[in-house]
Amino acid sequence: MAGLMAAAAIPSFERGQAGEPFFVNAILQGCGMTEGGEGCTFYAEGARWIAYRAGASNPAALEAMAALPQGTPLLVSGDLLFVGDITAEAAIASLEPGEDAYAAERAAMQGVWVSADDPQSVIEIAGSEQTDRYGGEVMRVSVMTLSEACGGAEGGVYLGLQQMGGDPADQQCYALLSVDGGRMELSYVGRGNTLVYVRP
């Protein structure tokens, strides 16, 4: 793996030739088939980024991403090819190990949670994606971002949710009050009500 990461760190093209150059601190979601073909997905700056295998990305970078576990922090550089609502298509030039200041919280939040007030309300967190279900029906899928500030609130750990296919400016913000193996408490920023989730 060390040799693969070393190869991925060597830029495969000069940035700025195919699109706007970027350098982001990202969280790996995973590699496989997407709606646009086979590629690797990562999350950065509140958006879902996809690098397709058929594109101009560094092959070593894509191979490294395919071998790494979901949630791995990465420093990704390349060219931004296309931006949709909250989805971006990218060509990756290079890839290096990154750091995640919220690694402990992110790991503790993974999996299925049921509302303590309404057992019909269920959320599932997989990597940086949150799926909301009610009565077994999927209501929305959102990009999940952890940060030190959200919606004008700061000082603590905040969870920002942006619905896929929705307005990029429409973000829900929650303060992460606590999370452990069996219980998670969130406070809706601007409303102040506390949402309690437990493991099923």
Side-chain angles (χ1 to χ4, degrees):
M1 190 66 200
L4 189 57
M5 287 300 292
I10 301 172
S12 60
F13 59 85
E14 183 178 347
R15 290 189 303 148
Q17 295 182 338
E20 182 181 349
F22 70 86
F23 181 79
V24 294
N25 189 10
I27 301 295
L28 177 64
Q29 185 68 18
C31 300
M33 289 302 299
T34 72
E35 61 274 15
E38 187 177 359
C40 293
T41 303
F42 58 96
Y43 286 90
E45 300 180 346
R48 175 177 181 247
W49 302 59
I50 303 174
Y52 294 108
R53 286 195 176 275
S57 290
N58 184 339
L62 294 181
E63 191 175 342
M65 293 173 85
L68 290 168
Q70 185 179 73
T72 299
L74 298 167
L75 296 174
V76 186
S77 70
D79 283 356
L80 181 60
L81 306 179
F82 172 79
V83 179
D85 45 16
I86 55 172
T87 300
E89 182 181 345
I92 299 174
S94 65
L95 186 75
E96 297 179 65
E99 294 184 1
D100 180 10
Y102 306 100
E105 292 89 348
R106 196 183 307 277
M109 294 173 72
Q110 300 298 303
V112 177
W113 298 90
V114 178
S115 170
D117 297 319
D118 184 353
Q120 294 293 309
S121 179
V122 177
I123 62 173
E124 180 177 3
I125 297 173
S128 297
E129 296 178 1
Q130 177 174 311
T131 301
D132 289 65
R133 295 185 176 88
Y134 193 84
E137 181 181 352
V138 174
M139 307 304 292
R140 69 186 64 82
V141 179
S142 304
V143 175
M144 183 190 80
T145 303
L146 294 175
S147 62
E148 63 182 11
C150 187
E154 56 185 344
V157 179
Y158 290 89
L159 167 67
L161 295 176
Q162 290 180 290
Q163 185 176 345
M164 290 187 188
D167 186 340
D170 185 15
Q171 183 182 47
Q172 293 181 331
C173 296
Y174 300 87
L176 179 59
L177 302 180
S178 66
V179 60
D180 57 26
R183 184 182 177 93
M184 178 168 63
E185 296 187 8
L186 305 171
S187 178
Y188 201 134
V189 173
R191 295 185 186 177
N193 57 312
T194 299
L195 306 177
V196 178
Y197 291 92
V198 296
R199 294 293 188 183

